[in-house]
Amino acid sequence: MEKIPVLIVNEHKLVREGLKKLLSEDSRFEVLGEASTLLEALEMTKPGGARVVLLDVGFRVQSAAWECREFKERCPQTGLVILMETSRESDYAHLLEVGAEGYLLKNSSPSQLKEALIRASRGEMFFSPGLAEKIVKVCRRASRLTGKTSLTPREKEVLRLVARGLSNREIASHLYLSEKTVKNHLTTIFRKIGVASRT
């Protein structure tokens, strides 16, 4: 089984070591390295390098959002999973615009973190359970502010299942759709809410 190459980014060495130990004990992952900032990590995400970057933004949401946008522009093929301290709607809105593959609160379980990394490596999204309501609120506000068409009932249904952590395949099975249709729905959703689509 091919291991998933992961790069850990956190400003605190102690936290990086803890995450590294957690992932190194799982045969599905290979920790390629650590970095204290996301911009520093850019040097370590060359072709054939990390497939997923795990970024802990802590409480520095706005400055981290800028770094994440820069990173996704320069490394669109690399999955990005964001760990955050807060679940405030305003903070979440900043990071949702980045177009990362995973969004996790720090109180998530190790199994949820690993699932987010696995899905991000496949270009799929993962959200901490309980964030669905916040995601929908952010989408509705973005739709009102930009004057864009609101999400259809089906798109809202797909988004809620994404927020529950279901993969594209699981969503397709749950809604009796093809995976391609689910991907098309997600592309439309991202366009409507102004989020960069997944590669």
Side-chain angles (χ1 to χ4, degrees):
M1 182 182 187
E2 183 185 1
K3 292 190 176 186
I4 299 171
V6 179
L7 181 62
I8 298 170
V9 182
N10 185 287
E11 59 185 341
H12 302 295
K13 184 171 178 58
L14 189 61
V15 176
R16 294 198 305 267
E17 288 296 324
L19 290 170
K20 182 178 178 181
K21 185 175 188 305
L22 174 69
L23 296 179
S24 296
E25 292 173 346
D26 191 314
S27 61
R28 295 173 294 180
F29 303 100
E30 177 187 5
V31 179
L32 292 184
E34 314 164 28
S36 57
T37 69
L38 194 54
L39 297 182
E40 179 185 326
L42 279 169
E43 301 301 317
M44 306 169 72
T45 51
K46 297 172 183 176
R51 202 152 77 222
V52 183
V53 169
L54 174 60
L55 170 67
D56 183 348
V57 302
F59 286 105
R60 13 173 243 104
V61 173
Q62 293 193 33
S63 61
W66 177 86
E67 292 176 12
C68 290
R69 287 189 195 94
E70 175 80 6
F71 180 85
K72 289 302 286 183
E73 284 177 12
R74 293 170 63 177
C75 301
Q77 302 293 337
T78 305
L80 179 61
V81 174
I82 297 174
L83 276 174
M84 53 195 293
E85 288 279 1
T86 174
S87 62
R88 287 186 307 181
E89 190 181 323
S90 58
D91 288 340
Y92 190 72
H94 284 293
L95 291 175
L96 187 61
E97 294 173 0
V98 168
E101 284 72 21
Y103 297 88
L104 291 170
L105 296 175
K106 286 265 190 94
N107 62 2
S108 299
S109 68
S111 62
Q112 288 167 350
L113 170 62
K114 293 175 181 180
E115 182 67 18
L117 294 172
I118 291 169
R119 294 199 180 169
S121 74
R122 300 193 297 236
E124 299 174 357
M125 295 193 78
F126 185 92
F127 295 87
S128 284
L131 286 178
E133 184 179 346
K134 293 179 177 62
I135 296 166
V136 172
K137 284 181 180 178
V138 169
C139 294
R140 285 176 179 164
R141 189 189 325 108
S143 179
R144 286 196 300 270
L145 292 176
T146 61
K148 295 178 181 175
T149 306
S150 59
L151 299 179
T152 66
R154 176 63 92 186
E155 288 166 352
K156 289 177 183 177
E157 202 171 11
V158 169
L159 190 58
R160 286 190 185 99
L161 293 175
V162 168
R164 282 171 48 192
L166 274 66
S167 68
N168 289 0
R169 181 176 299 175
E170 290 167 334
I171 293 171
S173 175
H174 189 84
L175 298 178
Y176 302 102
L177 302 171
S178 68
E179 282 190 68
K180 184 177 181 181
T181 300
V182 171
K183 288 181 181 178
N184 289 340
H185 278 310
L186 288 174
T187 299
T188 303
I189 290 167
F190 295 156
R191 176 177 51 76
K192 285 183 177 181
I193 65 177
V195 175
S197 61
R198 285 183 281 158
T199 55

